[in-house]
Amino acid sequence: MVEKIITSVQNTRIKELKKLFTRKGRKKAGQYILEGPHLVEMAIQAQADIDMIYYVPESSHAHIEKFRNMNDALPFTQVTPEVAKSLSQTEQHQDIFAVATLPEAKEIHFDHLNHAVLILDQVQDPGNLGTIIRTADAFGYRDVILGKGTVDLFNDKVLRSMQGSHFAVNTYELDLDEAIPALKAHDYFIATTELNDRAHAANAFDLQRKGKWAIVLGNEGNGVSQMVQELTDVSLYIPMIGSAESLNVAIAGAIVMYQFPPKS
């Protein structure tokens, strides 16, 4: 079968694809875009519902052959370098894009969660969210709760930072004023990270491991909200010997997750 080729940036389909770079457009279409061979390969491995793979034949031949060998039922459409550039959200476009179906929101079952849970309270920077999800994947945190005000998981910058880890981690979008009490009702010990008030916080390296716990990471500028702090059991700080006032939220999250790894 001869593949279609799209040669114009004014093509109707290309115009529709560009709408997927907004949260509103993604929700309306029920789809999102993955850019680059690595993310496309991760989607194929995860058996994501892929609507179409767009690629520049001159630069992507080897990757496309690999994808065909992985799944010979995948649909492909060729595009010109100019069209690929118009679709790219990076300075150096990678010539391969996959349009995938947005997964349905997962229903949370608190009695089936891992004993170590990560909670995000209004993390707004896409790079931070992506890095946190990728780090959670690396350290074995399989359940991540995204509170209201947290950036969209399928933002293109988040996707690039996650590097495919969203296929390995369960994410749930919930109101934290409901999620945290539910976790506590299921015997979770809830710890927040603290920006400044060390007088009322515990050293993260001194805290003893609990049976089941959740770690809350907060907004880049304001930290964990007062409402959430009042629902939790302890605030943690990470001791620093330098002059920096605070750590980036993704770095702080990595340190705390490493300090409190899920049980093997």
Side-chain angles (χ1 to χ4, degrees):
M1 184 177 70
V2 178
E3 289 180 12
K4 296 179 181 178
I5 181 165
I6 297 176
T7 60
S8 172
V9 297
Q10 299 303 318
N11 178 277
T12 301
R13 181 56 179 154
I14 298 303
K15 289 182 177 181
E16 290 299 314
L17 292 179
K18 289 180 180 180
K19 295 179 182 179
L20 300 182
F21 289 115
T22 68
R23 187 170 193 162
K24 180 180 179 181
R26 289 189 290 272
K27 286 196 171 185
K28 183 177 180 180
Q31 295 177 322
Y32 69 105
I33 291 182
L34 295 152
E35 179 178 355
H38 174 70
L39 288 181
V40 175
E41 182 174 346
M42 294 288 285
I44 296 170
Q45 289 177 344
Q47 298 183 335
D49 184 4
I50 295 175
D51 177 71
M52 184 62 68
I53 295 175
Y54 298 87
Y55 71 100
V56 178
E58 295 84 356
S59 58
S60 306
H61 177 74
H63 294 299
I64 296 304
E65 288 304 306
K66 181 178 182 180
F67 298 160
R68 292 186 197 279
N69 289 332
M70 294 173 68
N71 183 346
D72 60 9
L74 289 169
F76 295 92
T77 293
Q78 298 180 14
V79 297
T80 62
E82 291 75 20
V83 172
K85 184 177 180 180
S86 75
L87 286 176
S88 178
Q89 296 294 291
T90 64
E91 289 187 12
Q92 299 293 327
H93 58 92
Q94 300 183 62
D95 291 350
I96 298 177
F97 309 83
V99 177
T101 300
L102 280 174
E104 293 185 6
K106 289 186 176 70
E107 183 178 353
I108 193 166
H109 298 282
F110 291 96
D111 51 347
H112 292 160
L113 296 177
N114 193 286
H115 72 277
V117 175
L118 187 65
I119 300 173
L120 305 183
D121 180 21
Q122 301 180 69
V123 173
Q124 295 178 340
D125 182 85
N128 283 338
L129 177 59
T131 300
I132 290 168
I133 298 293
R134 187 177 180 185
T135 304
D137 179 17
F139 290 151
Y141 277 70
R142 289 288 170 258
D143 297 301
V144 180
I145 296 175
L146 310 178
K148 276 191 173 180
T150 296
V151 66
D152 182 20
L153 189 70
F154 297 97
N155 174 292
D156 60 282
K157 292 180 181 178
V158 177
L159 288 167
R160 289 196 297 275
S161 296
M162 287 192 295
Q163 285 294 295
S165 285
H166 65 295
F167 293 120
V169 174
N170 299 314
T171 56
Y172 311 91
E173 296 185 15
L174 300 170
D175 288 335
L176 298 189
D177 59 350
E178 297 177 3
I180 292 176
L183 285 168
K184 295 183 77 170
H186 285 79
D187 300 321
Y188 279 83
F189 183 82
I190 315 293
T192 69
T193 50
E194 175 62 56
L195 281 178
N196 299 310
D197 190 9
R198 297 187 180 188
H200 298 90
N203 187 321
F205 297 120
D206 292 339
L207 190 68
Q208 298 298 309
R209 288 168 59 119
K210 301 293 179 179
K212 294 194 295 185
W213 68 87
I215 296 169
V216 186
L217 303 177
N219 176 267
E220 289 83 352
N222 300 316
V224 176
S225 66
Q226 184 65 34
M227 179 275 292
V228 170
Q229 289 185 41
E230 292 174 356
L231 292 173
T232 57
D233 297 299
V234 68
S235 293
L236 303 176
Y237 74 88
I238 298 169
M240 299 181 293
I241 61 174
S243 59
E245 292 185 356
S246 63
L247 291 170
N248 169 277
V249 63
I251 297 297
I255 292 171
V256 176
M257 282 187 278
Y258 181 81
Q259 180 70 9
F260 299 102
K263 298 172 184 176
S264 58

